[in-house]
Amino acid sequence: MKRYAVYARMGAGIVLIVCWGLVDSPLSGVVYILALAALSAVRYRFAPYRWLGAVEAAICLGYAFLWQPALLGLWLPVFGLLEDRWEALESELLQKGFEDRSERLKLEASREASAREMRNAARLAEMTERSRIAQDIHDHAGHELSGASIALQTAIRLYEKGDPRAGELLTQSAARLEAASEHLREAVHNLKPARVAGVETLVELCEAFAFCPVQFSAAGDLAGSPYWELLTANLKEALTNVSRHSNATRVTVRLDGNADYIRMRVADNGSFAGAGSTGAGSTGTGALGLGLSGIRERVRAVGGTLTVGIDNGFTVVTVLPKINE
């Protein structure tokens, strides 16, 4: 914008010079034109003072009493005013852009931190469980195996001496080995990784819901979301609300995904007494709001949204971002 303003000022100055040369003009017009040129130079050489436009207008109006074409110079303060307004608008837009970018960076950092916390919590839980299983093997299976080993060694010595107590010790050793084997089987079973929550878990929840039929459907790109446990918790809470507070005869669960987000919509055809209207990101009122408030906070913590509505039944919509690692 500044470049075009400079061109406009130069054009206005050339018009004034041409007019001064073509018509019968006083010699003081040279001083008038030089004064305007100096003010324009001050505007672009130093900080654009607000009073420069007023000074330019005063010079043009004052000199117009001697030379009427001087009124053409009023274009200079007009150009200056437009330029100042444009620069203020650009500065405002630039500042807003910086603020928006800062908010986006904070949101992305919050999402990444939440994803890291969830992964760290999962790793900590896994390590804790493995430590518990190792301690359980040591305390139970190891104890039984050590006792069985000692009993067998004693039974061998008694058998060599013909002592009838050898059979009793053999029976005791067999029982201890069986107990140790059972402990080991349980430990191996617990070491197997648990099935990761996903679409199958949501389907199982819908099929196990006995209050009324649940229709489940899924479409789009559903891979890449680290928040299946959160979606599972939301679905459980929504179905619990249906069974406790609604007279619904049908529930519809729709799961959609794209490259950036995953969306789950749970809707029923019932009615909820005492529930007020809700807006985006809210959780309703009364018992329903209390039941979903914790879920709402977890959804917000990972950069998602939770929307609840009561139009033609009760609806819970969860939108969660995907984390591209």
Side-chain angles (χ1 to χ4, degrees):
M1 178 63 184
K2 181 177 291 188
R3 180 177 61 182
Y4 297 114
V6 171
Y7 293 158
R9 283 177 170 272
M10 292 175 61
I14 292 173
V15 170
L16 286 173
I17 293 174
V18 170
C19 290
W20 183 81
L22 293 179
V23 300
D24 186 15
S25 306
L27 186 60
S28 58
V30 176
V31 178
Y32 161 71
I33 294 174
L34 289 178
L36 294 181
L39 290 175
S40 296
V42 168
R43 169 178 287 275
Y44 296 113
R45 180 62 180 84
F46 304 102
Y49 299 103
R50 294 182 179 276
W51 48 264
L52 284 179
V55 173
E56 290 173 337
I59 292 176
C60 293
L61 290 174
Y63 196 74
F65 289 101
L66 298 177
W67 184 54
Q68 192 172 5
L71 293 175
L72 294 174
L74 291 176
W75 281 108
L76 298 180
V78 172
F79 294 148
L81 178 62
L82 294 176
E83 184 180 3
D84 290 342
R85 293 291 178 85
W86 183 266
E87 288 182 352
L89 179 60
E90 282 186 334
S91 177
E92 181 180 352
L93 293 176
L94 185 62
Q95 180 65 27
K96 188 175 183 301
F98 284 147
E99 293 175 356
D100 292 343
R101 186 171 184 272
S102 176
E103 290 297 324
R104 288 196 299 270
L105 291 175
K106 290 180 180 178
L107 180 59
E108 290 297 330
S110 175
R111 290 176 181 174
E112 293 176 2
S114 299
R116 284 196 300 269
E117 289 178 1
M118 294 185 70
R119 290 194 295 269
N120 292 337
R123 293 191 189 101
L124 179 60
E126 181 181 357
M127 293 175 63
T128 302
E129 181 64 12
R130 291 189 175 186
S131 176
R132 184 194 66 78
I133 293 172
Q135 187 66 40
D136 186 66
I137 291 175
H138 176 271
D139 294 342
H140 297 89
H143 175 72
E144 296 293 345
L145 288 173
S146 298
S149 176
I150 294 174
L152 284 173
Q153 292 174 11
T154 304
I156 291 173
R157 288 196 295 268
L158 292 176
Y159 177 78
E160 291 174 349
K161 295 178 181 180
D163 194 322
R165 290 179 298 175
E168 180 182 347
L169 288 175
L170 286 174
T171 302
Q172 180 182 352
S173 299
R176 290 196 137 185
L177 288 173
E178 180 63 26
S181 177
E182 182 63 26
H183 283 302
L184 288 174
R185 280 196 297 269
E186 291 180 1
V188 170
H189 175 74
N190 292 332
L191 282 174
K192 291 181 179 179
R195 181 167 56 87
V196 178
V199 178
E200 296 81 5
T201 305
L202 302 181
V203 173
E204 290 177 1
L205 285 175
C206 294
E207 293 177 347
F209 189 62
F211 182 80
C212 65
V214 180
Q215 179 183 357
F216 181 89
S217 60
D221 181 9
L222 302 177
S225 174
Y227 304 124
W228 285 108
E229 292 183 0
L230 186 52
L231 287 172
T232 302
N234 282 20
L235 180 57
K236 287 180 180 179
E237 183 63 35
L239 294 178
T240 300
N241 280 336
V242 171
S243 62
R244 289 181 178 176
H245 306 286
S246 174
N247 57 358
T249 60
R250 184 183 69 257
V251 178
T252 302
V253 179
R254 173 71 180 183
L255 193 65
D256 297 287
N258 57 26
D260 301 312
Y261 294 94
I262 220 169
R263 176 181 181 270
M264 182 177 70
R265 180 179 184 272
V266 183
D268 65 70
N269 62 345
S271 60
F272 287 72
S277 61
T278 59
S282 63
T283 58
T285 59
L288 297 180
L290 292 175
L292 289 171
S293 59
I295 298 294
R296 175 193 59 186
E297 295 304 323
R298 290 184 61 190
V299 168
R300 287 181 175 177
V302 299
T305 60
L306 182 72
T307 306
V308 176
I310 58 170
D311 295 333
N312 300 321
F314 197 75
T315 305
V316 180
V317 179
T318 305
V319 179
L320 297 173
K322 291 183 177 180
I323 303 297
N324 297 321
E325 300 188 71

